[in-house]
Amino acid sequence: MSTTSQQTKLKAAIIGCGRVSIKHIKAISKLSDRIELCALVDTNPDAPNNLLSGSKLKGSKLSAIKSTMKSYLNYKDMLEEVHPDIVAITVPSGMHYDVAKDCLLAGANILLEKPMTMSNTQSRELYNMAESKGLRIAMGHIYRYFPIVSLLHEDMVNGVFGKVGHGAVVVRWGHENEYYNQAAWRGTWKSDGGALMNQTVHALDLMCYLMNTEATKVNGMIANRFRDMEAEDTALGVFTFANGALCQVEGTTATFPNDHEASFFINAEKACIRIALRKGKPSYSITTPKGKNRAFKYLRRYIKKQGLSYTINVAKNPHYGIYHDLYHAVTTKTQPIADARSGYLSVDMVLGFYKSVLFKSEIALPLAEEFPIEEMKSVNLK
Ligand SMILES: NC(=O)c1ccc[n+]([C@@H]2O[C@H](COP(=O)([O-])OP(=O)(O)OC[C@H]3O[C@@H](n4cnc5c(N)ncnc54)[C@H](O)[C@@H]3O)[C@@H](O)[C@H]2O)c1
């Protein structure tokens, strides 16, 4: 960490230079007055350069990053030499725990991609570790950073919407077999999970955030209808939340890849909230009991609070919001919006869902003990 007369600058590193890391490097390059990228790490020696060229950064932005950044093959060497303030962990999900633990032990704050880990107890261990060391964990729960979402959460906390009746989530995030065949870890129980753990976990977290509550029970069913992978491509289930609301969930990767859709519905006493993302286009409707749509008012309020440039940046790349927020959390010793708690609670929700499939019964949440995800190998999904 270095402090000039203007402000503190944090040293950042990215471990894992694959698909999602492009979002990270783009976000960091837009926050270059606060965050300096010092290291890119990947076991594949070509990956850091591929990331830089794939990011399409040009001119002064690219040369600024190249001038401060060094590549490493081994993240432990990087931690020893660089002593980063922030480490983004973008390795396959099955490796999150080991890498995150080493980063926390090295005294780094982390931006951990979702899911937090593949285990409910390991996720809690990371949370406890960060708490005891006074370090921050920001989760890659991008939906929390979509425009107006934080205002909806704030109004829910302040009782503006009244009692919540129920909610519904649909995540139809199609991926063909080629996606699963890209890397050995994809679609496996041990290192990735299926449509729930990889794609739908974001949405489960968002429903808890929007409803300002936590899941207490789950009952689910899963299947593998179309994809050649070990885990599920389709999941349907119902959560019960601590506020009494029920929430229906559909998560699938068995739909067409060119027609991605994620939609969220909350039925409350004083408003019906609908947020949808279809083929990359967001839509919002916050309907009052008299049928008026307040979405535009929320957007105006959001822009007034956050500024137009921030709003445009998060709309284009929500990872920008995560870095912006993590910077604030580290420098002011507060918690980020997508904090470590959101990480372990959403892993709990997914593993509880899987457990209810395995035991064919309703499961109480949060899970009281470890549920080893590899037990799911015994379930016949076809
Ligand atoms: N928040 C989001 O929107 C979002 C989107 C996509 C992926 N993700 C998550 O990000 C993670 C990575 O996904 P991806 O699609 O980028 O995967 P990927 O396979 O494309 O990239 C992973 C990279 O990690 C590297 N790697 C593997 N072991 C390593 C090690 N020991 N040290 C350093 N590098 C190592 C691989 O060589 C590869 O380049 C997953 O956990 C995934 O769930 C999050």
Side-chain angles (χ1 to χ4, degrees), residues 167-215:
V169 177
V170 171
V171 178
R172 296 179 183 136
W173 217 258
H175 284 299
E176 293 290 2
N177 285 331
E178 292 83 73
Y179 167 86
Y180 290 105
N181 294 336
Q182 279 178 108
W185 66 277
R186 292 194 189 275
T188 61
W189 283 118
K190 185 169 181 250
S191 304
D192 190 17
L196 261 183
M197 185 64 107
N198 189 325
Q199 286 76 21
T200 315
V201 68
H202 281 297
L204 301 181
D205 170 63
L206 181 68
M207 291 310 270
C208 293
Y209 183 57
L210 283 175
M211 288 194 191
N212 187 34
T213 188
E214 288 169 18

Side-chain angles (χ1 to χ4, degrees), residues 18-20 42 90-91 93 95-96 113-114 140 185-186 202:
R19 277 169 71 113
V20 78
D42 205 293
T90 53
V91 292
S93 307
M95 301 172 69
H96 287 185
E113 270 304 349
K114 44 49 59 172
W185 66 277
R186 292 194 189 275
H202 281 297

